[in-house]
């Protein structure tokens, strides 16, 4: 059999990874192969300690139109396998295709245009930041098909919007524009060219210590719903690890000298 064409591509330049959903003729609708490739790509990038940020986008007219049911439902055995959770992760393949971007110790920026539906919306919500065109279309589209979001979207929605808004979006499958999504809290900022704006943000973040960025991401993600006591304990641990870190020293010394810092590889994966 000829090798399968990659449906998720990536390249790294100046420490910034550009990850693309590459099925534009189908509006980047998700297949099981794409889910596997999203997990594999995130896992691979996690090993790169020189990585500084990730820009995640879709080729063609849309970010992602959701799950390709016609493709996925042709493989009942593979669906069963994809639904089986990894005991060491607590996620199945559908969930890990989104949550793997949360696990990356670098900022992930989703650049969204066109459709951002269903599973595509859940991938975007798993990023740290979302830059979107004002006319992009967002929907928890699962409700239209009589199902619920099950690719980590419930947790992501809970972090970003109130419970009534999360229920409304989920139960109605209502479509909202990028501008409305910004007002609701789903989108971080709007841009006519979201990919360019995402690259600019990635470059700005790359000017900060990669260890400080990783610590901040871990701290927010791991304690957002934790008790104050647990959060304070994690703050102390993360700060102690940073205080004597080489990249922290570089940030401090170059800030005083008013020159651009030259950071080394991230200390932790």
């Amino acid at each position: 059999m000829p090798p399968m064409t990659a449906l998720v591509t990536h390249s790294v330049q100046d420490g910034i990874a550009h990850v693309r959903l590459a099925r534009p003729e189908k509006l980047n609708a998700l297949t099981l192969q794409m889910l596997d490739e999203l997990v594999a790509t995130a896992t691979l990038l996690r090993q790169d300690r020189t990585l500084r940020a990730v820009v995640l986008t879709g080729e063609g007219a849309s970010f992602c139109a959701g799950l390709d049911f016609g493709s996925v439902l042709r493989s009942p055995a593979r669906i069963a396998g994809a639904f089986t959770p990894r005991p060491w992760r607590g996620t199945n393949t559908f969930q890990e295709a989104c949550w793997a971007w949360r696990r990356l110790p670098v900022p992930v920026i989703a650049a969204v245009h066109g459709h951002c539906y269903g599973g595509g919306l859940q991938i975007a919500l798993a990023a740290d930041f979302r830059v979107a065109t004002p006319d992009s279309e967002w929907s928890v589209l699962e409700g239209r098909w009589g199902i619920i979001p099950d690719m980590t979207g419930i947790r992501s929605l809970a972090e970003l919007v109130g419970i009534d808004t999360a229920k409304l979006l989920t139960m109605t499958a209502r479509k909202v524009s990028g501008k409305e999504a910004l007002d609701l809290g789903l989108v971080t900022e709007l841009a006519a060219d979201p990919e360019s704006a995402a690259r600019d943000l990635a470059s700005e973040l790359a000017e900060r210590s990669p260890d400080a960025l990783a610590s901040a991401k871990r701290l927010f993600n791991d304690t957002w719903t934790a008790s104050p006591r647990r959060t304070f304990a994690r703050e102390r641990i993360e700060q102690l690890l940073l205080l004597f870190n080489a990249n922290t020293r570089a940030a401090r010394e170059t800030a005083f000298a008013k020159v651009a810092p030259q950071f080394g590889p991230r200390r932790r994966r």
Side-chain angles (χ1 to χ4, degrees), residues 122-163:
Q122 293 177 83
I123 292 170
L125 296 189
D128 300 289
F129 310 102
R130 284 152 297 284
V131 184
T133 59
D135 62 350
S136 55
E137 293 186 4
W138 298 65
S139 176
V140 185
L141 199 62
E142 286 83 358
R144 181 176 178 182
W145 314 119
I147 56 177
I148 58 170
D150 66 337
M151 292 172 59
T152 75
I154 296 297
R155 174 60 185 266
S156 297
L157 283 168
E159 293 177 352
L160 294 171
V161 301
I163 189 170

Side-chain angles (χ1 to χ4, degrees), residues 3-264:
M4 292 187 295
T5 301
L7 300 179
V8 177
T9 65
H10 81 277
S11 60
V12 180
Q13 184 176 4
D14 298 327
I16 298 172
H18 300 266
V19 179
R20 295 177 179 276
L21 304 179
R23 200 177 177 229
E25 73 283 0
K26 295 293 185 179
L27 301 178
N28 297 314
L30 299 166
T31 64
L32 293 175
Q33 178 188 338
M34 290 178 76
L35 297 175
D36 286 336
E37 290 183 15
L38 281 165
V39 174
T41 301
T43 302
L44 179 65
L45 292 175
R46 184 182 175 88
Q47 309 308 311
D48 183 357
R49 296 197 188 191
T50 67
L51 190 69
R52 308 302 302 282
V54 173
V55 174
L56 177 60
T57 191
E59 292 184 358
S62 290
F63 177 75
C64 177
L67 197 67
D68 185 338
F69 284 98
S71 168
V72 171
L73 293 178
R74 286 199 297 267
S75 308
R78 287 190 66 194
I79 292 175
F83 257 94
T84 303
R86 298 162 170 80
W88 62 93
R89 288 294 195 195
T91 53
N92 63 25
T93 298
F94 292 93
Q95 294 161 337
E96 189 66 15
C98 300
W99 212 247
W101 305 101
R102 289 286 188 102
R103 300 190 201 280
L104 275 182
V106 300
V108 177
I109 309 157
V112 177
H113 65 290
H115 307 88
C116 187
Y117 293 166
L121 180 143
Q122 293 177 83
I123 292 170
L125 296 189
D128 300 289
F129 310 102
R130 284 152 297 284
V131 184
T133 59
D135 62 350
S136 55
E137 293 186 4
W138 298 65
S139 176
V140 185
L141 199 62
E142 286 83 358
R144 181 176 178 182
W145 314 119
I147 56 177
I148 58 170
D150 66 337
M151 292 172 59
T152 75
I154 296 297
R155 174 60 185 266
S156 297
L157 283 168
E159 293 177 352
L160 294 171
V161 301
I163 189 170
D164 54 343
T165 299
K167 288 178 179 177
L168 185 67
L169 292 172
T170 300
M171 294 177 181
T172 65
R174 181 179 297 174
K175 296 178 182 178
V176 299
S177 69
K179 173 61 171 63
E180 291 170 303
L182 176 69
D183 295 338
L184 290 171
L186 298 176
V187 167
T188 310
E189 63 181 64
L190 300 177
D193 184 345
E195 187 172 355
S196 177
R199 287 196 300 265
D200 289 344
L201 176 55
S203 296
E204 180 182 354
L205 290 165
E207 296 174 0
R208 301 291 174 252
S209 163
D211 290 301
L213 294 179
S215 287
K217 180 167 179 172
R218 277 193 302 270
L219 192 56
F220 280 115
N221 286 351
D222 293 350
T223 67
W224 195 245
T225 58
S227 68
R229 185 184 182 93
R230 181 169 180 267
T231 302
F232 301 157
R234 283 296 303 276
E235 284 180 356
R236 293 192 295 269
I237 293 168
E238 293 288 352
Q239 192 74 306
L240 281 170
L241 292 172
L242 287 173
L243 282 175
F244 304 103
N245 178 284
N247 281 326
T248 304
R249 184 170 60 252
R252 183 174 62 248
E253 292 174 352
T254 53
F256 281 123
K258 298 183 179 180
V259 296
Q262 297 294 322
F263 294 117

